[in-house]
Amino acid sequence: MALGLLAAAALGGAYLGSKYSVKNDLIQLRAVGTALMKDKAKATPDRVFLIFEGRSYTFRQIELASNRLAHWLLAQNVKPKDIICIMLQNHPTFYIAMWAIMKIGAIPSFINTNLQEDALLHCLTVSNTKIFLFDPMYENQVATIAEKARASGTNIYAYGEATEYDGEYTNSLALALTPKVLSAYPDNDTSESLIRGIGITDVALLIYTSGTTGLPKAAIVQHARLNGIIWGSSVLSGMTKDDTSYCCLPLYHSSAVYMATHITLNVGGTLVLARKFSVTRFWDDIYNNNVTIFFYIGELCRYLMNRDPHPYENKHKLHTCFGNGMPPEIWNQFRARFGVKNICEFYGATEGPGGTFNLNKNEHSAGAVGYYGPLIRTFIRSDIKIIKIDPIKEEPIRDKNGFCIECNYDEPGEMIIGMQAQGGRARFDGYYKNNNATSKKIIQNALKKGDVYFRTGDLLKMNKDGMIYFLDRLGDTFRWHSENVATTEVSQVVARYPSVAETNVYGVKVPNHVGRAGMVSLILRPNTQLDFADFYQHLSKHLPKYAVPIFIRFVPSMNITGTFKQQKTTFRDQGIDKVPENEQPIYWLKDKTYVPFTVEDYDQIAAGKHKL
Ligand SMILES: *[C@@H]1O[C@H](CO)[C@@H](O)[C@H](O)[C@H]1NC(C)=O
Ligand SMILES: *[C@@H]1O[C@H](CO)[C@@H](O)[C@H](O)[C@H]1NC(C)=O
Ligand SMILES: *[C@@H]1O[C@H](CO)[C@@H](O)[C@H](O)[C@H]1NC(C)=O
Ligand SMILES: *[C@@H]1O[C@H](CO)[C@@H](O)[C@H](O)[C@H]1NC(C)=O
């Protein structure tokens, strides 16, 4: 059993995806996501599952609270397979709501808590949600869409921290599910029959990802995939019931909800949940809670490296960091400085059919997101390819026979991942009610007639030892603060501003930062000037915080001779440090307005003294 996988893990890296020679039925017996919490609550009711701000929660406590909410949902006539949207913060109420929804066979759909206006409304309407639960702290954002959401049939309720603990929360926006309201409902378990019919090809979760068309796309996660991820990651992380994990990533993200939460649950460990990442509190949290596994995204590691030494940074029990996007150049320094033994870096999209994994214990494979050496290729039939891409069109290059061309070693190209048919784990379940977006992610007849691959949309390269390195995102999105920013969404908002004539949005590299910062090149209408503070107000009202451009550049023309794409590529490559003299100064976001960006500002950023 699991020979390929274990051998791969032992080698220090793995391809996490379709064909670890595991019997399919092991993974596919049950809709694990739905059953896991119920099982644990029965088997170990008094075990502490969650620690939040110093308070412990046993399985029994979470189970009882989610039972009540589940009975309330049933009383609202929620049926198995209905979609319920939740916009909740990192707080025990997130788990209570998630399991309440899952245990009655309904489908939780996690809303990014930065959203408001059109993007938020879109998330509710695209999933046809009957019920939307939001934490009172997001009331102002929800107020921007409440009326329209109701008009399209969504019932809105406040449920979250204030409603759970002080019971005092009321407002005019929505009925609040206070403890008093919920006390009318029983806290015994809901009937097994509600989930009995749920199979592995049913939808387990919807997670929204930024689309190239602007608005978020709801990525479908079927139980088969969730099972595969939970099981595979549990093994690869090496986590056991004696481990304590630390999650400060937003729970609406797949890393937090699939990985941190479900791995911990699966192995029976304890999860320490933080409201959000705090560089000042981090080592205290790790030390005080005896945390052994930290779930990261790349920028968090960078922030930790940039801060002054902390008295606990070498006195903790942390042995493993598990996550995605640690900047390649800091791995060895990170391990040396903080004395962490293992860096488990994975690469994979929320919705992708597979990914890669590098369990790194020494300098040898530092910086790689995966290892795909000859031994692994013997155990696991090859499913990952890196193919040549036209740098301007950012589309695969086809040869004279119509097939894609695989890259040579060390040559950057797009990673594509082979897909399995319905019911397999290496699947792409598509986007909910969005066939156009779904078909854009699929490439057929890539390397031979009849094959089907998932397009990751990412540029990677592999060296001759089989180490895989992440380089950049392709296409019309870029990553910033671990969110995907869709350039078209930003462009549309910028273009609505009255004095803007033409605009071009892209992401630029900034020293000491992970991902790309948003930059907008502008041409203004004749005889107008930009009121920077007002422009910022406009942007921040209509865009999530992470999508508001950091830099503005005024350009004389959008270069009509070249294509729009060529233009974008040129601007993107010029970034913030190679902008021609006659287009200076560029401006940057500071204190809710834009001010000239100086050489001194650049130096501060480069020296790690200014965090964007
Ligand atoms: C839960 O309790 C209610 C009454 O409080 C009862 O009607 C119902 O059958 C119970 N449900 C289960 C699954 O035992
Ligand atoms: C952490 O471990 C120490 C001893 O190893 C123990 O005394 C302490 O109670 C533990 N703290 C928590 C929060 O588990
Ligand atoms: C999907 O693509 C087709 C053909 O390109 C187009 O006509 C249709 O409007 C698109 N649908 C959506 C929802 O974008
Ligand atoms: C404008 O387009 C031309 C032709 O494609 C190209 O050579 C030139 O570098 C472009 N200029 C800018 C500023 O992008």
Side-chain angles (χ1 to χ4, degrees), residues 69 72-74 76-79 81-87 97-98 100-102 104-111 124 127-133 154-155 157 206 208:
L69 188 60
W72 176 85
L73 288 168
L74 290 173
Q76 312 312 305
N77 202 25
V78 172
K79 298 276 183 266
K81 301 188 184 172
D82 282 351
I83 293 167
I84 311 287
C85 288
I86 63 177
M87 183 176 182
M98 180 170 98
I101 296 164
M102 287 181 120
I104 60 169
I107 300 163
S109 166
F110 308 118
I111 308 263
L124 301 179
S127 61
N128 245 332
T129 192
K130 278 163 97 170
I131 292 189
F132 171 41
L133 304 179
T154 302
N155 292 308
Y157 300 92
L206 286 187
Y208 294 91

Side-chain angles (χ1 to χ4, degrees), residues 559 561-562 566-567 570:
N559 202 358
T561 55
Q566 273 171 320
Q567 195 58 46
T570 309

Side-chain angles (χ1 to χ4, degrees), residues 278-504:
S278 154
V279 72
T280 49
R281 222 185 37 232
F282 181 82
W283 288 113
D284 295 290
D285 275 1
I286 298 292
Y287 178 83
N288 294 334
N289 293 295
N290 295 333
V291 169
T292 57
I293 297 188
F294 162 45
F295 287 89
Y296 67 82
I297 47 166
E299 36 278 81
L300 306 190
C301 305
R302 174 86 77 187
Y303 298 152
L304 291 171
M305 285 304 288
N306 280 349
R307 67 156 289 157
D308 297 334
H310 185 283
Y312 294 153
E313 70 178 43
N314 279 305
K315 284 199 185 136
H316 50 76
K317 298 190 173 131
L318 196 61
H319 56 66
T320 298
C321 291
F322 187 109
N324 173 235
M326 186 181 290
E329 65 279 13
I330 71 169
W331 286 39
N332 292 329
Q333 299 160 16
F334 187 93
R335 191 187 294 96
R337 172 166 169 188
F338 302 127
V340 175
K341 268 208 327 257
N342 310 312
I343 296 176
C344 298
E345 169 87 10
F346 71 87
Y347 162 79
T350 298
E351 67 276 41
T356 66
F357 186 87
N358 179 13
L359 173 52
N360 168 262
K361 293 169 182 288
N362 53 48
E363 299 201 353
H364 173 55
S365 65
V369 299
Y371 172 64
Y372 202 50
L375 209 58
I376 296 207
R377 278 176 254 183
T378 315
F379 280 116
I380 306 164
R381 267 174 293 144
S382 168
D383 261 314
I384 283 181
K385 304 284 182 203
I386 296 178
I387 57 169
K388 293 190 197 225
I389 292 291
D390 176 320
I392 304 293
K393 294 200 202 104
E394 299 193 326
E395 286 295 328
I397 299 171
R398 299 262 183 181
D399 66 14
K400 63 180 191 305
N401 300 318
F403 294 119
C404 301
I405 308 160
E406 282 193 72
C407 289
N408 298 317
Y409 292 129
D410 297 316
E411 184 186 5
E414 180 175 355
M415 182 184 280
I416 56 174
I417 305 177
M419 281 159 56
Q420 283 177 318
Q422 184 82 348
R425 271 160 289 124
R427 15 175 326 113
F428 165 49
D429 304 326
Y431 302 107
Y432 194 72
K433 294 200 183 143
N434 192 343
N435 287 335
N436 283 5
T438 300
S439 52
K440 276 195 190 136
K441 295 296 280 184
I442 294 173
I443 180 166
Q444 295 181 341
N445 306 319
L447 296 160
K448 60 176 197 287
K449 222 168 160 39
D451 65 13
V452 185
Y453 284 82
F454 172 81
R455 289 190 65 179
T456 62
D458 290 328
L459 208 57
L460 293 98
K461 65 176 183 185
M462 192 191 321
N463 70 16
K464 65 179 185 333
D465 299 326
M467 297 293 172
I468 299 169
Y469 298 87
F470 176 84
L471 300 171
D472 212 339
R473 274 197 76 73
L474 284 168
D476 298 323
T477 62
F478 59 88
R479 272 178 91 68
W480 182 242
H481 287 182
S482 78
E483 303 280 357
N484 284 339
V485 180
T487 57
T488 42
E489 179 188 4
V490 180
S491 286
Q492 281 161 14
V493 170
V494 172
R496 290 214 298 266
Y497 192 75
S499 54
V500 169
E502 278 184 74
T503 171
N504 200 337

Side-chain angles (χ1 to χ4, degrees), residues 222-243:
Q222 296 191 348
H223 280 285
R225 237 164 73 68
L226 187 61
N227 291 1
I229 293 168
I230 294 172
W231 187 83
S233 312
S234 297
V235 174
L236 291 167
S237 70
M239 187 172 180
T240 73
K241 67 173 178 24
D242 301 322
D243 280 307

Side-chain angles (χ1 to χ4, degrees), residues 553 557-563 566-567 570-571 574 580 583:
R553 169 176 167 187
S557 85
M558 289 293 177
N559 202 358
I560 15 183
T561 55
T563 65
Q566 273 171 320
Q567 195 58 46
T570 309
F571 288 162
Q574 289 172 342
E583 289 169 36

